[in-house]
Amino acid sequence: MTTAAPSDLLERLRVATAGRYDISHELGRGGMATVFLARECALDRPVAIKVMAPQLMAVEGMAERFVQEARVAAALSHPHIIPIYAVDRAGDLLFFVMKYVAGRALDEILAQHGPLSVPQVRAILTQVGAALDAAHRRGVIHRDIKPANILLDEHGDAVVADFGIARLSEQPGKTQIGQTVGTPSYMSPEQCAAEPLTGAADQYALGVVAYELLTGAPPFVGDSLMQIVWKMVHEPFVPVDAKRPDAAGTIAHTVHGMLARQADERFASVSDAIAALPELTLGPNDPVRASLVRLATSSHDVRASAALPATRVPSAPTAVLPSLSELSIALHTHAGTMTIDDTLDLVPDVRDDKGAAVPHAGVVWESSAPTIARVSAGGRVTAVGTGRATITATVVDSDADVPRDAAPRASLTVTITRAGVRQLAIMPRLTTVEVGDRIPLSVNTGEAAGLIADPRLVAWSSSAPSIAAVDGAGKLHVRSEGTCEITARTGGAQSTLTLRVTHAMIAAVSITAPAPRLTMGERMRLAATPENTKGHPLEGYPVRWDVSDPGIAAISVDGVLTALKSGQVLVAARVDGKVGTTKINVDAAPYPLPPQRTSAAAISRVSSPTIRV
C-alpha cells in the first residue's frame, strides 16, 4: 500500500482547510494519523489537527475507528482531557481539530529531570485521576495511560491525551478477540491476558505512572511482554517507600493499592484511590503549581563557563539559601533570535542537589554585549543592536565563601537582526535522529513571522546521502549511522542542519495475522513489523517467534503458525529485545485428523515460562 508523502499531505490539508485554518507544520505522526499545528482563523487561536492517513480510508472500519476516537474524547468534556473542537472530511482527508497544548509529556520530563517531588506527583495523580474518573463514568476506558500520553501544559495542569485505543466498556460487535492492545509496562495483568476490561485497568496503569514518577522506573520491567507478565504474576514489586523514603505513608499506600494484582483488590474506582490522598488544591500562585509550570516549559538547558562582571540582585531577606556548592541553575526558553526592540523575559530555574526548586536564590544578570542586548536586574532582555550576545545568570550569596568563578551559572546566546532581514530556518530543528526515520522538513523564511517557504522552490542537499538524504518533497530519509549536514536553499538564502544519526532503537513490534482463529490442522503465516521510537517501520531485522503453548499451536522460524489442538495461544514476535503479541484461537476439527509431525528444527519453542491465556 502506497503512503502519501507528508509534505503532500500538508499541502492537501492546506488546500482543504483554506480560509478556516492556517496550517503551520507537522507536530508528530504514527501509523494511523499525522498531527499538524495550525491557527483557527475565525477565533485566532492555535489548534492541533489530526489527519488520518489517506490510504487507510480504503480499509474497512478504519474511518469509523478514527472518528470514534474524536467522538469519545469530545463527549467527555473535562478540564484535564484535551478537548475536541470539530470533526471534518474533505475529499479523502478525514481529520479532527483539537486544542493545542503548549507543554511537554511526562516521559520527556522524566528523561530530563528524573523522579519528581512527592507534591508534584500528588498533583498529577489527582488531576489525571479526575479525568479518568470522568471517562469511566461515561463508560470509556482509556487503555493506554502512560507518561507519553499525559501532558503538562503551560499552566502546570496535567492533561490526558490520545484516546486512539479507548473503548466503550459495553460496545457490542466491536470486540477484537485475540488482540492485546496497550504498552506492556503499563498494562494491567488482565489487559495482558486480553480479558474484558473495566476502569480498574486504567487505575492500575495510573498506579504504574505514579510509581515511575516517584522512583524513576515502572514496577515491572523486562525485554518482552512475556517477561513483564511473568514478573506481574510471580514476583512482588519493590515498595515505593523502599526506593523513596520521603514517599512513605499515604501516597505509597495509595500507589500500592492501585497496583494490586487482582482487579477486585484495587480501589473500587479511581476517584476512591484519589480520595485516599490528602486533599490538594493548587491556587494560581501555589509553589507546587509554579514548579509544574517550570517542568512543562523547560526544554533548553545551556550552562555558562565564563565569568563576567555584574551587579548583585539580593534575594528575599527571609529566604534560607543552601550552600552554593549544592545549587544548579538553568535557563529555559525556545527563543534564540530576536529583532531590534524585541524583549524577552528569562526566568532562572535554581535547584538544590536533590532537585528541589530554590525560588528565592539571588541571581545576577549579565550581557556580553550590552550594545546588542541589554538585560535588566529582573532578567528582561532588550534587543538594541544587530549581532550576537550571551546572557548569563549567576547564583550569588554574599555570605557564601565561594569564588565567583565557581558559582552556579547558566547562559543563553541570542542573535539580534533588523526587522525584515531574511533568514532561513529548517524545521523541525533536529540534532539527533535514528536510522529508519522518515521526517518531513520545511523551511521558515523569517522566524518572527513563522512563514513557510513554498516547498516547490526549496532545493535540498546532503553532505552524505548514504547517511541521510532529503527527497524533492522535503522528506528526510535516514539510512545509516554517522554525521551529515542537510542544507536547504531558496531565494538566494540557505540554512544547514547538522545531524547525528544513531542506531535505531526498536520501540514496538506489531503482528499482522490473516485471521484471528484457525481450525486444527490449518496453517497461516504471520508478519511482524518493528517500529523505531517515532513509529517508523524498520526493515531487515530478524524476528524470533514464540507461542505460549506449543501443544496448541506451533510456529516456525519464519512465522508459519500450525494449529495442533483446540484452545487459545498467545503468539509473540521478538525483535531486538522488543515484543509484539496477538492471540489466536484454535477450533476443533469437524472430523478426525491424521497425526501431525512437526520438525523440531523448524519450530521455535518458548524459552520463557508458559503463559496461560
Side-chain angles (χ1 to χ4, degrees), residues 215-235:
T215 68
F220 301 108
V221 295
D223 293 332
S224 69
L225 173 61
M226 291 185 174
Q227 289 184 10
I228 295 171
V229 172
W230 172 259
K231 292 180 180 180
M232 283 182 183
V233 174
H234 297 284
E235 298 179 2

Side-chain angles (χ1 to χ4, degrees), residues 450-490:
L451 301 176
I452 306 296
D454 186 339
R456 296 170 296 181
L457 303 179
V458 179
W460 297 91
S461 62
S462 170
S463 63
S466 61
I467 295 175
V470 183
D471 61 24
K475 186 176 184 179
L476 177 69
H477 298 258
V478 184
R479 295 167 176 164
S480 62
E481 295 180 60
T483 302
C484 72
E485 291 185 343
I486 301 297
T487 300
R489 296 179 176 85
T490 185

